Amino acid sequence: MGPNKDFTRGNILNQLIKLSLPIMGTSFIQMTYNLTDLFWIGHVGSGAVAAVGTAGFFIWFSNALTFSTAI
C-alpha cells in the first residue's frame, strides 16, 4: 500500500477534488451500466424497460438509505 494522504492540509479545493473523483467515477460507471441494461432490455419491450428502471431506482434508494446511516 502507498503512503497515507492527509486531506486536512493544503488547498481545500484541490483536496475536495481529489476526494470526489473516485466517487464521481463510481457513479458514472454505475450510470453507464444501468443505461446499457436499459438499451438491451429495450429490445424486449416497454414493460421490461419500466421494470428495469424501477428496479434500478430501488437499488439506488436502498444504497442511499444504507450510506446515510454510515454518515
Side-chain angles (χ1 to χ4, degrees):
M1 288 181 36
N4 292 337
K5 298 198 183 264
D6 187 7
F7 288 110
T8 61
R9 302 195 193 285
N11 186 358
I12 211 163
L13 181 63
N14 289 338
Q15 299 299 333
L16 285 174
I17 290 172
K18 288 178 186 176
L19 191 61
S20 67
L21 284 177
I23 297 169
M24 291 188 314
T26 302
S27 294
F28 179 74
I29 290 171
Q30 185 176 10
M31 180 184 67
T32 305
Y33 179 78
N34 288 339
L35 287 175
T36 304
D37 277 349
L38 287 174
F39 173 76
W40 286 106
I41 297 296
H43 295 292
V44 176
S46 62
V49 171
V52 170
T54 304
F57 170 77
F58 284 119
I59 291 171
W60 171 82
F61 187 67
S62 65
N63 279 337
L65 289 176
T66 303
F67 293 144
S68 67
T69 59
I71 294 172

